[in-house]
Amino acid sequence: GENVEQHPSTLSVQEGDSAVIKCTYSDSASNYFPWYKQELGKRPQLIIDIRSNVGEKKDQRIAVTLNKTAKHFSLHITETQPEDSAVYFCAAPPNQAGTALIFGKGTTLSVSS
Amino acid sequence: NAGVTQTPKFRVLKTGQSMTLLCAQDMNHEYMYWYRQDPGMGLRLIHYSVGEGTTAKGEVPDGYNVSRLKKQNFLLGLESAAPSQTSVYFCASSYPTEEAFFGQGTRLTVV
């Protein structure tokens, strides 16, 4: 089945710095790549996603880039703020054969002011 | 529009007791999932379903059973609870290759 590797497991930055989290996947047929954010004590929620027909997608201070040849996608957060502190998960979604939604192990981002 | 609703939110069980967690979604999603979340372990898939009447094992299925008799409901059962099953459980639902929506989580403690 699909395998998702996420790095780093923890990331500490100063407010205003940029943060980058990377995920690699194994299924070359994957065509949808989401990122979820989980604040302490809350449920995971989608923050951005990208499909395989584009290489980059931006939404204000967050962006996702995709390299299908290398089978990795990355989350970029610019001008980090304390409210960005959370656990971030990448995921490999189900394919048409009926596989499951598999998450990376998560990255705990800490933004200090 | 409620989205994904899990019941109960909290539960304390004694070792050997049984319980059922209920997940209900109102978005007509085909796919439903049960995950457990432990510190430092991320979201680990227990079981999932790709449609009414179907179920499949995930990464950590031992000690759990599931049923999907109706499209909108996905039940997770613990037949004989063990302390190792102390965790936060999340249900989620989605269409394939679309955003997954999560329930608010169930905090289960087995003593």
Side-chain angles (χ1 to χ4, degrees):
Chain A
E2 177 70 275
N3 186 38
V4 180
E5 302 267 346
Q6 182 175 344
H7 299 280
S9 57
T10 60
L11 182 57
S12 295
V13 300
Q14 292 286 322
E15 184 177 359
D17 287 351
S18 295
V20 181
I21 305 169
K22 182 177 177 178
C23 267
T24 59
Y25 60 96
S26 59
D27 186 353
S28 57
S30 294
N31 59 10
Y32 172 69
F33 306 91
W35 285 94
Y36 290 79
K37 177 183 180 181
Q38 186 180 27
E39 297 177 349
L40 190 62
K42 297 192 175 180
R43 72 190 82 184
Q45 291 189 295
L46 181 77
I47 54 170
I48 195 167
D49 55 17
I50 191 170
R51 298 191 183 272
S52 58
N53 57 343
V54 297
E56 182 176 5
K57 182 178 178 180
K58 289 184 178 179
D59 183 2
Q60 298 182 356
R61 294 186 299 106
I62 61 173
V64 55
T65 58
L66 172 64
N67 183 328
K68 286 214 74 178
T69 302
K71 289 194 277 188
H72 67 73
F73 58 110
S74 299
L75 177 69
H76 305 255
I77 306 174
T78 59
E79 301 173 27
T80 54
Q81 300 170 3
E83 52 264 38
D84 295 327
S85 296
V87 180
Y88 293 82
F89 295 97
C90 61
N95 62 30
Q96 294 304 315
T99 58
L101 180 63
I102 301 294
F103 286 88
K105 295 295 185 192
T107 297
T108 301
L109 174 64
S110 300
V111 181
S112 54
S113 54
Chain B
N1 195 348
V4 180
T5 303
Q6 284 180 237
T7 52
K9 292 186 176 65
F10 303 94
R11 185 74 186 269
V12 178
L13 285 180
K14 293 182 179 179
T15 297
Q17 287 186 320
S18 63
M19 78 165 293
T20 300
L21 283 70
L22 171 63
C23 179
Q25 54 98 1
D26 61 4
M27 295 171 283
N28 203 36
H29 286 159
E30 290 292 334
Y31 284 59
M32 296 188 75
Y33 318 87
W34 277 107
Y35 299 90
R36 61 176 289 173
Q37 186 171 38
D38 304 292
M41 301 294 288
L43 293 158
R44 292 187 292 170
L45 183 67
I46 305 171
H47 287 280
Y48 66 103
S49 169
V50 301
E52 181 178 320
T54 75
T55 63
K57 293 181 180 180
E59 180 186 359
V60 288
D62 293 344
Y64 305 95
N65 56 75
V66 288
S67 64
R68 182 111 181 255
L69 299 179
K70 293 183 179 180
K71 187 176 184 179
Q72 64 268 33
N73 296 336
F74 195 29
L75 279 63
L76 178 71
L78 286 75
E79 290 187 347
S80 179
S84 60
Q85 293 177 305
T86 294
S87 188
V88 179
Y89 292 84
F90 283 101
C91 172
S93 72
S94 75
Y95 292 114
T97 66
E98 297 289 339
E99 177 181 0
F101 292 85
F102 285 79
Q104 74 274 33
T106 297
R107 187 172 295 275
L108 174 66
T109 302
V110 183
V111 297

